[in-house]
Coordinates of all heavy atoms in Angstrom, one line a residue:
H66 N -1.5 15.3 -8.3 CA -2.3 15.7 -9.5 C -1.6 15.4 -10.8 O -2.3 15.1 -11.8 CB -2.8 17.2 -9.4 CG -3.8 17.3 -8.4 ND1 -5.1 16.9 -8.5 CD2 -3.8 18.0 -7.2 CE1 -5.8 17.1 -7.4 NE2 -5.1 17.8 -6.6
A67 N -0.3 15.5 -10.9 CA 0.5 15.4 -12.0 C 0.7 13.9 -12.2 O 0.7 13.5 -13.4 CB 1.9 16.0 -11.8
E68 N 0.8 13.0 -11.2 CA 1.3 11.7 -11.5 C 0.2 10.6 -11.1 O 0.3 9.4 -11.5 CB 2.6 11.3 -10.7 CG 3.8 12.1 -11.2 CD 5.1 11.9 -10.3 OE1 5.1 10.9 -9.7 OE2 5.9 12.9 -10.4
G69 N -0.8 11.1 -10.2 CA -1.8 10.2 -9.8 C -2.7 9.7 -11.0 O -2.8 10.4 -11.9
L70 N -3.3 8.6 -10.9 CA -4.1 8.1 -12.1 C -5.6 8.1 -11.6 O -5.9 7.3 -10.7 CB -3.7 6.6 -12.4 CG -2.3 6.3 -12.7 CD1 -2.1 4.7 -12.9 CD2 -1.9 7.0 -14.0
P71 N -6.4 9.0 -12.1 CA -7.7 9.0 -11.8 C -8.5 7.8 -12.4 O -8.2 7.4 -13.4 CB -8.3 10.3 -12.5 CG -7.1 11.1 -13.0 CD -6.0 10.0 -13.2
H72 N -9.2 7.1 -11.5 CA -10.0 5.9 -11.9 C -11.5 6.2 -11.8 O -12.0 6.6 -10.7 CB -9.6 4.8 -11.1 CG -8.3 4.1 -11.5 ND1 -8.0 2.7 -11.5 CD2 -7.2 4.7 -12.1 CE1 -6.8 2.5 -11.9 NE2 -6.3 3.7 -12.3
D73 N -12.2 6.0 -12.8 CA -13.6 6.2 -12.8 C -14.4 4.9 -12.5 O -15.6 5.0 -12.4 CB -14.1 6.7 -14.2 CG -13.7 8.1 -14.6 OD1 -13.3 8.8 -13.6 OD2 -13.8 8.6 -15.7
G74 N -13.7 3.8 -12.5 CA -14.4 2.5 -12.2 C -13.5 1.4 -11.9 O -12.2 1.6 -11.9
F75 N -14.1 0.4 -11.6 CA -13.3 -0.9 -11.4 C -14.1 -2.1 -11.9 O -15.3 -2.0 -12.0 CB -12.8 -1.1 -10.0 CG -13.8 -1.2 -9.0 CD1 -14.5 -2.4 -8.7 CD2 -14.2 -0.1 -8.2 CE1 -15.5 -2.5 -7.7 CE2 -15.1 -0.3 -7.3 CZ -15.8 -1.4 -7.0
D76 N -13.5 -3.2 -12.1 CA -14.2 -4.4 -12.6 C -14.4 -5.4 -11.4 O -13.4 -5.6 -10.5 CB -13.4 -5.2 -13.7 CG -13.6 -4.6 -15.0 OD1 -14.5 -3.6 -15.1 OD2 -13.0 -4.8 -15.9
L77 N -15.5 -6.0 -11.4 CA -15.7 -7.1 -10.5 C -15.8 -8.5 -11.3 O -16.6 -8.6 -12.3 CB -17.2 -7.1 -9.7 CG -17.3 -6.1 -8.6 CD1 -18.7 -6.1 -8.1 CD2 -16.3 -6.4 -7.5
C78 N -14.9 -9.4 -11.0 CA -15.0 -10.7 -11.8 C -15.4 -11.8 -10.8 O -14.8 -12.0 -9.7 CB -13.5 -11.0 -12.4 SG -13.3 -9.8 -13.6
F79 N -16.2 -12.7 -11.4 CA -16.7 -13.9 -10.6 C -17.3 -14.9 -11.5 O -17.9 -14.5 -12.5 CB -17.6 -13.5 -9.5 CG -18.9 -12.9 -10.0 CD1 -20.1 -13.6 -10.3 CD2 -18.9 -11.6 -10.4 CE1 -21.2 -13.0 -10.6 CE2 -20.1 -11.0 -10.9 CZ -21.1 -11.8 -11.0
A80 N -17.2 -16.1 -11.3 CA -17.8 -17.2 -12.1 C -17.8 -17.0 -13.5 O -18.8 -17.1 -14.2 CB -19.3 -17.3 -11.5
G81 N -16.6 -16.5 -14.1 CA -16.5 -16.4 -15.5 C -17.2 -15.2 -16.0 O -17.2 -14.9 -17.2
R82 N -17.6 -14.3 -15.1 CA -18.4 -13.1 -15.5 C -17.5 -11.8 -15.0 O -16.7 -12.0 -14.3 CB -19.7 -12.9 -14.8 CG -20.7 -13.9 -15.3 CD -22.0 -14.0 -14.6 NE -22.7 -12.7 -14.6 CZ -23.8 -12.5 -13.8 NH1 -24.4 -13.4 -13.2 NH2 -24.4 -11.2 -13.9
R83 N -17.8 -10.8 -15.8 CA -17.1 -9.6 -15.5 C -18.1 -8.4 -15.5 O -18.9 -8.3 -16.4 CB -16.1 -9.3 -16.5 CG -15.1 -8.2 -16.4 CD -14.2 -8.0 -17.6 NE -13.1 -7.3 -17.2 CZ -11.8 -7.8 -17.1 NH1 -11.6 -9.0 -17.5 NH2 -10.8 -6.9 -16.8
H84 N -18.0 -7.5 -14.5 CA -18.9 -6.4 -14.4 C -18.1 -5.2 -14.0 O -17.5 -5.2 -13.0 CB -20.1 -6.8 -13.5 CG -21.1 -5.6 -13.4 ND1 -22.2 -5.6 -14.3 CD2 -21.2 -4.5 -12.7 CE1 -22.9 -4.5 -14.1 NE2 -22.4 -3.8 -13.0
R85 N -18.5 -4.1 -14.7 CA -17.7 -2.9 -14.4 C -18.6 -2.1 -13.4 O -19.7 -1.8 -13.8 CB -17.4 -2.0 -15.6 CG -16.6 -0.7 -15.3 CD -16.0 -0.1 -16.6 NE -15.2 1.1 -16.2 CZ -15.7 2.3 -16.2 NH1 -16.9 2.5 -16.7 NH2 -14.9 3.3 -15.9
I86 N -18.1 -1.6 -12.3 CA -18.7 -0.6 -11.4 C -18.3 0.7 -11.9 O -17.1 1.1 -11.7 CB -18.4 -0.9 -10.0 CG1 -18.7 -2.4 -9.5 CG2 -19.1 0.1 -9.0 CD1 -20.3 -2.6 -9.5
D87 N -19.2 1.5 -12.5 CA -18.9 2.7 -13.1 C -19.0 3.8 -12.0 O -20.1 4.4 -11.8 CB -19.9 3.0 -14.3 CG -19.4 4.3 -15.1 OD1 -18.7 5.2 -14.5 OD2 -19.7 4.2 -16.3

Side-chain angles (χ1 to χ4, degrees):
H66 288 291
E68 296 175 19
L70 305 173
H72 280 215
D73 285 349
F75 61 82
D76 280 351
L77 284 177
C78 291
F79 61 98
R82 293 170 60 183
R83 186 185 199 113
H84 184 87
R85 180 167 185 265
I86 301 293
D87 191 331

